């Protein structure tokens, strides 16, 4: 893939932006200083209207196509005062690429002496609404629309805001100036404000006569450190904000929209300040910027973005108060510590190219758990790592064709597909956890300190990290880790012998260097116990250590999806845990329960038998916990109750449904946040479509993230035919369901038996609409979610008939290939174990 850094090496950008959020326009002047490395230089620029390119106020010939500006440096006089020094380009063949051949006026074949150059590019564009580049976010407050202008430049969307070398290795400093007519707007960026002033300027009428004056605000920021383009950011709008300081005096400020409560800012500030202090100590290089800002945005595609000094978040990933659910707070703590670890992993030291994205994300993920555990040990956050991250990684990594943690990129459209949460984040984090266990935490952090000190403000590849860790390890770090990072998949260990585990059955000849095989969660592998070994372990389950318990259940769950172990045995496994009280174990039991639903489609005898079976499993917990929180109960009980109530609703336990429905209050904020979803779902089941309309209205009007999430989940799970049409119509109503939340609505509808078929058909027939409203990083998630919903060959045929047409697009090639494997494996599993599961289920409920 062509890299523009081979043509021009930037050192500084002077970026002046005139932004009018009401007209949704952006006008820019970008002055780029750097070194030309070829007779023809190129800059990324997507959907920008280029009005001029000049050097020393002299127009320069340029061509704009293929999302690039191409400038013929051969037409620039060598004596031009804006160019200094010289550089030999003898033998450089880059000038004859297809995109530039035939139009250069003087591409000097032998040698070009160019040296440092300063290039000014003027342009204009419109603000996006697809949550990438420079985009507009809107919301309602006090009966009026509020507008925020913000940015999302990772992975390669800075080019949608200004011309640049939009590659991680093209580090430079940035001098940013923003002009806006909105005098009351807060304007923030990576660095502190250097100067903010309000000036008057003349206005003209339609005949271009001066008609009066107007005011505008001009905000100039301090120069940034040397950094990649994807880390530049700015935000404009009106906000609530609160500031705290770290022990060393660093100001940490968190912002939220005006329709949010300022009380929701305190928790985020507390976590952020504590995280900065923790990382300063552990990484050996102090946080290098003079401030840290965090902003919660009403429209945001991902969970958060680590822009250096200005971290942006989805509101649900940053805002919490004393009434927020415990699991929401834990999730927010993980998100904040993840993003702030990026201030070192990714910002201070950046991967050379996107194939080493794991250097950012794998480390940030494992560090988020290390830091959160240090800040709030009472969260027992490692339980979530094992039962969520590790399980997700082992599940996704079991399919043929899945990407490796380190994945080559051959096309720009492939970059967005690298952000696979189960692989680059979760699997990579599990591998780093394995490495930490092998080295010891003290030695591991000693190596990291060397890494940050040696490579700060630079770009690296994996070998640079292994080199720094090697001095503190007693084994060959590179040899050991390269095999795990560069190869997809993992082994299953049977009687001490490894072979690749594939959920589709069979294996291949891939092997991995193995540490000492332990039955804890240290290693990224499965242990295939014999029937006797498993029975013995299960009988002594309570005496096993915590990680041994997770290992036993996770391994069994995955092995049961193959011919190695019968799926019917999972029913007996669930029976053994009727009296379980541990929330983390219940997280794994819930995964097993949900997996087995594939054998019990709605309306079949298996479905009704499974309802009875699940009620028998949850009844002891339901009786113990009840539907109301108890004073001074353990956090584990508080977090477990929603899970148990959800399965009571699935089992159609009428007593629980009635009791929950009776707790309904139309003032939703008065409902207990932990059990609110269950109350809303029960009320909807026992009433008519009027309550559905009330939910949708409340959803569209409330700003509280947790309440919005509960309402969306509740009204998406409708079964009444009169309401199904209404909920499906929301797929095309961005005024109610924001584009950032559209994928959650689709996911809920694809899991609901009453809406699944219509939701899938809607996706196949409205793909262009989905492309329009969503960002690149989310698009292939629709294909993954749809694949998880497939249960029959007929559904599979429809799925493949549509998505196979996208398989030639680089952004979808791997996703579609893996979907084939996943769906075929599930259908094979059904053929293999349906009879055994049905028979065993019928027997268990009759006993």
């Amino acid at each position: 893939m062509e890299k523009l850094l081979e043509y021009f090496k930037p050192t500084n950008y002077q970026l002046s932006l005139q932004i009018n959020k009401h007209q949704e326009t952006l006008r820019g002047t970008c002055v780029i200083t750097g070194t030309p490395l070829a007779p023809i230089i190129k800059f990324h620029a997507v959907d920008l209207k280029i009005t001029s390119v000049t050097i020393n106020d002299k127009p320069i010939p340029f061509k704009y196509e293929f999302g690039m500006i191409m400038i013929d440096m051969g037409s620039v006089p060598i004596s031009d005062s804006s160019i200094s020094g010289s550089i030999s380009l003898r033998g450089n063949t880059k000038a004859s690429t297809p995109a530039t051949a035939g139009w250069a006026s003087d591409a000097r074949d032998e040698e070009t002496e160019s040296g440092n150059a300063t290039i000014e590019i003027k342009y204009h564009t419109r603000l996006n609404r697809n949550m990438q580049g420079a985009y507009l976010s809107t919301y309602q407050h006090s009966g009026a629309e509020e507008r925020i202008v913000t940015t999302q430049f990772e992975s390669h969307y800075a080019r949608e805001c200004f011309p640049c070398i939009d590659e991680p290795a093209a580090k430079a400093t940035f001098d940013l100036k923003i002009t806006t007519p909105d005098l009351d707007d807060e304007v923030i960026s990576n660095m502190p404000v250097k100067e903010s002033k309000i000036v008057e300027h003349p206005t003209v009428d339609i005949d271009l006569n001066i008609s009066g004056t107007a005011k505008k605000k001009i905000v100039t920021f301090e120069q940034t450190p040397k950094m990649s383009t994807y880390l530049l950011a700015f935000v404009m709008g009106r906000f609530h904000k609160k500031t705290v300081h770290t022990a060393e005096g660093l100001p940490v400020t968190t912002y939220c929209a005006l329709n949010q409560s300022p009380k929701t800012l305190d928790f985020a500030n507390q976590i952020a300040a504590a995280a900065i202090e923790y990382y300063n100590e552990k990484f050996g290089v102090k946080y290098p910027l003079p401030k840290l800002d965090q902003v919660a945005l009403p429209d945001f595609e991902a969970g958060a973005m680590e822009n250096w000094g200005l971290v942006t978040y989805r509101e649900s990933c940053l805002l919490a108060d004393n009434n927020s659910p415990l699991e929401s707070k834990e999730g927010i703590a993980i998100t904040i510590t993840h993003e702030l670890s990026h201030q070192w992993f990714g910002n201070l030291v950046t991967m050379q190219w996107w194939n080493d994205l794991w250097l950012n994300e794998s480390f940030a993920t494992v560090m988020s758990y290390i830091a959160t555990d240090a800040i709030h040990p009472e969260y027992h956050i490692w339980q979530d790592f094992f039962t969520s991250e590790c399980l997700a990684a082992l599940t996704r990594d079991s399919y043929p064709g899945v990407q490796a943690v380190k994945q080559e990129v051959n096309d720009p459209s492939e970059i967005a597909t690298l952000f696979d949460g189960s692989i680059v984040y979760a699997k990579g984090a599990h591998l780093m956890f394995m490495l930490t266990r092998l080295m010891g935490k003290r030695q591991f952090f000693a190596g990291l300190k060397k890494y940050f000190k040696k490579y700060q403000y630079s770009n690296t590849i994996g070998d640079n990290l292994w080199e720094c860790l090697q001095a503190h390890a007693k084994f060959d770090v590179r040899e050991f880790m390269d095999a795990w990072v560069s190869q997809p998949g993992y082994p299953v260990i049977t009687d001490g012998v490894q072979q690749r585990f594939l959920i589709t059955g069979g294996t291949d000849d891939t092997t991995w260097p193995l540490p000492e095989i332990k039955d804890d969660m240290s290693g990224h592998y499965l242990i295939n116990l014999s029937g006797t070994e498993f029975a013995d372990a299960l009988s002594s389950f309570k005496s096993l250590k915590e990680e041994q318990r997770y290992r036993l259940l996770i391994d069994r769950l995955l092995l049961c999806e193959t011919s190695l172990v019968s799926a019917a045995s999972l029913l007996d496994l669930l029976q053994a845990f009727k009296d379980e009280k541990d929330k983390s174990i219940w997280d794994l039991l819930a995964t097993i329960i949900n997996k087995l639903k594939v054998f019990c489609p709605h309306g079949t005898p298996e479905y009704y038998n499974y309802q009875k079976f699940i009620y028998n499993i949850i009844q002891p917990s339901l009786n113990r916990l009840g539907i109301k929180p108890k004073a001074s109960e353990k956090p584990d009980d508080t977090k477990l109750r929603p899970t148990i109530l959800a399965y009571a609703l699935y089992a159609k336990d009428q007593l629980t449904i009635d009791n929950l429905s009776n707790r309904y209050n139309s003032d939703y904020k008065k409902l207990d946040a932990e059990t609110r979803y269950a109350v809303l779902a029960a009320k909807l089941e026992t009433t008519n479509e009027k309550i559905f309309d009330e939910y949708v209205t409340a959803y569209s009007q409330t700003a509280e993230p947790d309440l919005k999430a509960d309402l969306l989940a509740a009204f998406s799970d409708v079964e009444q035919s009169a309401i199904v049409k209404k909920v499906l119509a929301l797929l095309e109503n961005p005024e109610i369901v924001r584009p950032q939340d559209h994928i959650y609505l689709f996911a809920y509808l694809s899991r609901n038996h009453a809406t699944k078929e219509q939701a899938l058909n809607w996706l196949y027939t409205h793909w262009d609409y989905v492309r329009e409203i969503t960002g690149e990083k989310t698009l292939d998630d629709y294909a993954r979610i749809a694949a998880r919903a497939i249960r029959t060959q007929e559904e599979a045929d429809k799925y493949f008939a549509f998505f196979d047409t996208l398989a030639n697009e680089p952004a979808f090639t791997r996703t579609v290939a893996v979907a084939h494997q996943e769906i075929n494996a599930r259908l094979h599993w059904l053929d293999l174990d349906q009879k055994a599961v049905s028979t065993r289920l019928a027997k268990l409920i009759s006993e």
Side-chain angles (χ1 to χ4, degrees), residues 18 25 27 103 106 136 143 150 224 261 267 289 360 372 444 486 488 587 593 598 606 708 711:
Q18 299 178 51
T25 58
R27 292 187 174 274
W103 71 272
D106 185 22
L136 194 66
T150 186
T224 72
S261 168
F267 181 73
L289 272 62
N360 290 13
T372 299
F444 180 75
S486 300
D587 287 341
I593 290 172
V598 72
E606 288 81 9
K708 286 184 80 75
L711 286 165

Side-chain angles (χ1 to χ4, degrees), residues 147-326:
R147 293 189 161 201
I148 296 171
V149 177
T150 186
T151 58
Q152 173 61 41
F153 290 163
E154 189 185 35
S155 53
H156 55 299
Y157 309 122
R159 64 191 70 181
E160 297 182 17
C161 180
F162 63 99
C164 57
I165 307 294
D166 202 8
E167 298 166 3
K171 287 194 170 187
T173 58
F174 295 82
D175 292 280
L176 176 65
K177 179 170 70 176
I178 292 178
T179 301
T180 174
D182 294 286
L183 308 184
D184 294 333
D185 272 9
E186 191 105 36
V187 184
I188 50 180
S189 186
N190 306 77
M191 297 296 288
V193 172
K194 181 178 181 180
E195 180 185 48
S196 180
K197 60 184 179 180
I198 296 175
V199 299
E200 286 192 351
H201 63 94
T203 59
V204 296
D205 59 23
I206 193 170
D207 297 318
L208 301 182
N209 297 314
I210 295 177
S211 58
T213 61
K215 293 181 179 180
K216 59 185 177 182
K217 178 190 282 188
I218 303 174
V219 182
T220 305
F221 296 92
E222 299 282 355
Q223 187 179 86
T224 72
K226 185 180 175 184
M227 67 184 196
S228 304
T229 49
Y230 78 87
L231 295 172
L232 185 68
F234 56 84
V235 179
M236 299 167 44
R238 299 199 302 159
F239 301 98
H240 297 303
K241 64 179 180 179
K242 286 188 178 182
T243 300
V244 298
H245 292 81
T246 66
E248 295 184 349
L250 178 78
V252 176
T253 305
T254 302
Y255 299 76
C256 68
L258 297 179
N259 62 347
Q260 300 289 350
S261 168
K263 294 179 181 179
T264 62
L265 301 173
D266 296 324
F267 181 73
N269 270 342
Q270 178 261 317
I271 295 292
I276 290 292
E277 292 170 1
Y278 180 80
Y279 291 142
N280 277 342
E281 175 190 354
K282 290 297 181 181
F283 294 157
V285 175
K286 301 290 186 183
Y287 176 78
L289 272 62
K291 58 91 176 174
L292 171 68
D293 292 334
Q294 304 185 111
V295 185
L297 296 167
D299 298 285
F300 198 80
E301 182 186 9
M305 175 59 206
E306 66 269 17
N307 315 297
W308 213 355
L310 175 55
V311 185
T312 46
Y313 296 81
R314 180 181 287 249
E315 289 175 330
S316 60
C317 293
L318 188 68
L319 305 180
D321 59 22
N322 292 334
N323 297 319
S324 298
L326 290 176

